[in-house]
Amino acid sequence: MTHTLILYSTVDGQTRKICERIKARCEAAGEQVTMADIAEADVLLAAADKVLVGASIRYGKHRPTLFEFAARHGAALGSKINGFFTVNVVARKSEKNTPETNPYMQKFLQLSQWQPQQLGVFAGKIDYPRYGLFDRTMIRFIMWITKGPTDIKGTFEFTDWDKVDDFADTFAARKAP
């Protein structure tokens, strides 16, 4: 049985939610799946046949732990079936929702020593009521500039779950030679 490790780096939980959906699809395809925060990856990586990493964007950047993980484990990742996806609200726009057109994916590929085999980009979620004053104000300002939703009483989920399912099914179908 294939052992798949799904790692996430998330701020508000949408990336973890996407990972849970991918985990269910991989399990339905017959894989044994472990899901964990990327900070816990060191002890889990060796046992995995496949590794998928999902990471969110906050204020235009992936969290530093993502790059630390990629630098520390690039060789191990390269020896396994692997993939990476980024979650960001910019991807709500059709012209910025592919690995080739999403600026955060492109920046990741430029800065990372790890060059994943399968790439994905998913739109995230804005949950104004859950944010503190600073985050709510900053995210609202960014949304105003980019013509996104600014109603601070609202929650706006942009994730295309069919796209997540297609990505998951493609990843689950990838088998070691």
Side-chain angles (χ1 to χ4, degrees), residues 77-92:
L77 289 167
S79 71
K80 302 172 186 288
I81 295 170
N82 67 79
F84 171 72
F85 66 89
T86 185
V87 178
N88 54 81
V89 178
V90 167
R92 75 187 188 282

Side-chain angles (χ1 to χ4, degrees), residues 81-143:
I81 295 170
N82 67 79
F84 171 72
F85 66 89
T86 185
V87 178
N88 54 81
V89 178
V90 167
R92 75 187 188 282
K93 298 180 176 188
S94 61
E95 69 274 11
K96 295 186 179 184
N97 70 359
T98 68
E100 298 77 24
T101 61
N102 186 268
Y104 302 117
M105 177 61 81
Q106 290 303 306
K107 187 173 184 180
F108 171 79
L109 293 172
Q110 289 171 357
L111 296 176
S112 177
Q113 296 175 21
W114 171 42
Q115 298 297 298
Q117 298 162 348
Q118 182 177 338
L119 301 172
V121 174
F122 306 119
K125 177 180 176 180
I126 295 174
D127 192 355
Y128 286 113
R130 284 191 50 207
Y131 302 147
L133 179 62
F134 177 79
D135 284 334
R136 185 171 47 248
T137 303
M138 292 300 294
I139 292 169
R140 185 176 191 215
F141 179 66
I142 293 165
M143 288 297 101

Side-chain angles (χ1 to χ4, degrees), residues 19-62:
C19 286
E20 289 168 351
R21 177 80 164 240
I22 294 170
K23 177 180 187 267
R25 302 290 287 208
C26 289
E27 287 173 338
E31 296 184 7
Q32 177 186 351
V33 182
T34 301
M35 195 174 97
D37 187 288
I38 198 165
E40 302 170 25
D42 291 349
V43 297
L44 301 170
L45 192 58
D49 302 308
K50 297 167 67 171
V51 180
L52 179 64
V53 178
S56 64
I57 292 291
R58 179 55 72 86
Y59 301 131
K61 296 183 179 190
H62 287 105

